[in-house]
Amino acid sequence: MRVTVFGVGYVGLVQAAVMADFGHEVCCVDIDDKKINNLKNGVIPIFEPGLAEITRDNVAAGRLLFTTDAEMGVAHAEIIFIAVGTPPGEDGSADLSHVLAVAEVIARFMDGRKIVVNKSTVPVGTAGKVRQKITGVLAERGLALSFEVASNPEFLKEGSAVDDCMRPDRIIVGSDSDEVRRKMKELYAPFSRNHDKMILMDTRSAEFTKYAANCMLATKISFINEMANLAELLGVDIEQVRLGIGSDPRIGYQFIYPGCGYGGSCFPKDVKALERSAQEVGYQARLLQAVEAVNGKQKEKLFTLINRHYSGNIAKKTFAIWGLAFKPNTDDMREASSRVLLESLWQAGATVQAFDPEAMEEAQRLYGNRPDLRLMGTKEAALPGADALIIVTEWKHFRVPDCSLLKKHLKDMVIFDGRNLYDPAVIEENGLAYYGIGRGRSIQKW
């Protein structure tokens, strides 16, 4: 099938590349000339395992095209995905200006029937706004062309997005049109060979499903972090508690890992956006407010532990930081806990020696050249001259500690583990002080 995707950001590029890899002919449209030219030449703007390979392969095979020519993109296919950003406004609401701008472009150039599919994460009712925008522009043109607007939210996890897209848990399609449902089933047939993964519903329910899913996952994270903070005060090891509650199939082990807070482009934005939607209909979403508040406080946790250990005397200290991205297998530092920590350390007069396997260029872009930030080439290179080690991102490269190396380089022989990667007993047996998240015994001892 022929498909057009407007927007080659994280969602649009992954979706387009995977659809092309399954054999569809996909045209990607974006207004960023540099990004489009780079993609044509095989330069991928984001790090995502497997994405570069399938993008280059399908460009070479002629199944994946990149262009800034919107008219060409609209003419290319009947099915057109909108996959542009919906950044949060100052009040937390989702900014739909990019979505509606694409809708207007489609209406300006369409000359026959189109199925417009919202792939972006959008508030309930956005399909109606897109429909209204297209209808208005067609009226200005004096045309009465047939079109449908559907919702098909994405459920990709950064770090495993390509695999998630190829092997989805579910494919949500919101539309009341039998024709749209049939076309979408045909489009996604290669993704559902094992069993039918498509769940059909109305557009408003599909739009809400995306927000509800992300807010549920964010809630689980904030819940376990709240329990971790209480466990710390009660002298309880939250990791043992995690195993105890995770064994209950009603709860499960996913998304109950205590840490220094969630980040990224989805959870923080979507929790705020749904809170805002609730306000607009006169409802106070107290649970969502609590989820956001707990997470905001949790991002301060590592600095609180550090400040307590040093009795507030952090100035002129040097800290090795392992991990800058908001999660492993990505270079994304949007809303990352590392950013809150870095800025708190700098404000206190400390210097940082940091390493991340993928986010070094992003850190350089965000913070530039400053004397209190040294970006190091390896995790080992971040240690010499450091007073303490702080672990912020749970990259697999960090999971096995070399205690002899840490003792050799860390002047104060202390580790602040923001992801509970290490066993406190093992670290302490090797003569190092250890602070984790909710590891009550460590807090009481040190």
Side-chain angles (χ1 to χ4, degrees), residues 24-36:
H24 297 308
E25 296 179 24
V26 184
C27 177
C28 294
V29 183
D30 201 283
I31 59 173
D32 189 329
D33 286 308
K34 182 179 178 182
K35 185 183 288 187
I36 289 295

Side-chain angles (χ1 to χ4, degrees), residues 19 45 91 141 158 172 174 186 201 205 245 255 270 283 286 335 404 425 431:
M19 286 193 297
D91 61 357
R141 295 177 61 198
E158 289 196 42
I172 303 292
E186 182 181 354
M201 58 184 71
S205 296
I245 65 174
F255 288 87
D270 293 351
Y283 183 77
R286 292 182 177 85
E335 301 277 351
S404 60

Side-chain angles (χ1 to χ4, degrees), residues 77-352:
E78 179 186 7
I79 299 176
I80 302 176
F81 282 89
I82 300 178
V84 293
T86 54
E90 291 185 4
D91 61 357
S93 62
D95 180 357
L96 297 178
S97 60
H98 303 303
V99 171
L100 296 177
V102 173
E104 182 173 351
V105 166
I106 293 170
R108 290 285 175 206
F109 293 121
M110 63 187 285
D111 58 4
R113 179 169 174 76
K114 301 293 180 183
I115 298 173
V116 180
V117 183
N118 278 332
K119 197 73 181 172
S120 303
T121 300
V122 294
V124 173
T126 299
K129 293 179 180 179
V130 169
R131 186 176 295 109
Q132 186 177 29
K133 174 64 74 173
I134 294 174
T135 300
V137 174
L138 288 176
E140 291 174 9
R141 295 177 61 198
L143 299 175
L145 300 175
S146 175
F147 70 93
E148 295 284 350
V149 179
S151 175
N152 176 218
E154 53 83 17
F155 297 94
L156 308 179
K157 299 185 294 291
E158 289 196 42
S160 60
V162 171
D163 189 62
D164 288 346
C165 195
M166 288 185 170
R167 303 171 185 84
D169 296 319
R170 74 285 206 196
I171 301 166
I172 303 292
V173 173
S175 175
D176 295 323
S177 165
D178 291 337
E179 181 193 4
V180 170
R181 293 180 172 192
R182 179 178 59 79
K183 289 283 180 72
M184 295 297 282
K185 278 183 174 290
E186 182 181 354
L187 179 69
Y188 280 114
F191 298 73
S192 304
R193 292 197 65 196
N194 181 271
H195 64 277
D196 187 3
K197 300 174 182 178
M198 186 168 287
I199 301 173
L200 301 171
M201 58 184 71
D202 62 88
T203 55
R204 295 176 71 88
S205 296
E207 291 164 342
F208 192 76
T209 297
K210 168 64 177 179
Y211 277 114
N214 277 357
C215 289
M216 180 65 201
L217 298 176
T219 299
K220 291 186 73 174
I221 296 170
S222 281
F223 172 81
I224 198 65
N225 282 334
E226 186 88 310
M227 294 299 100
N229 294 335
L230 181 57
E232 178 181 302
L233 297 172
L234 294 173
V236 172
D237 186 348
I238 193 62
E239 288 299 318
Q240 295 183 38
V241 176
R242 179 181 66 81
L243 295 174
I245 65 174
S247 61
D248 185 331
R250 296 171 301 175
I251 298 172
Y253 294 104
Q254 290 188 316
F255 288 87
I256 59 166
Y257 288 89
C260 49
Y262 62 74
S265 63
C266 294
F267 288 3
K269 173 176 70 73
D270 293 351
V271 170
K272 291 176 183 175
L274 194 54
E275 275 186 65
R276 181 61 183 175
S277 292
Q279 291 172 16
E280 290 174 354
V281 293
Y283 183 77
Q284 186 177 359
R286 292 182 177 85
L287 179 58
L288 297 182
Q289 292 168 357
V291 167
E292 184 181 4
V294 168
N295 190 61
K297 194 68 176 175
Q298 200 69 14
K299 289 182 178 182
E300 302 171 2
K301 184 67 179 179
L302 280 171
F303 181 77
T304 299
L305 294 175
I306 295 164
N307 201 42
R308 181 190 303 166
H309 178 81
Y310 286 104
S311 301
N313 299 313
I314 295 175
K316 298 184 179 180
K317 291 286 184 181
T318 298
F319 294 94
I321 291 184
W322 287 358
L324 296 170
F326 86 92
K327 65 180 289 188
N329 295 323
T330 182
D331 58 357
D332 195 343
M333 288 181 63
R334 285 175 289 183
E335 301 277 351
S337 300
S338 64
R339 298 177 66 171
V340 175
L341 175 63
L342 286 170
E343 289 158 22
S344 296
L345 290 172
W346 291 332
Q347 188 174 10
T351 297
V352 170

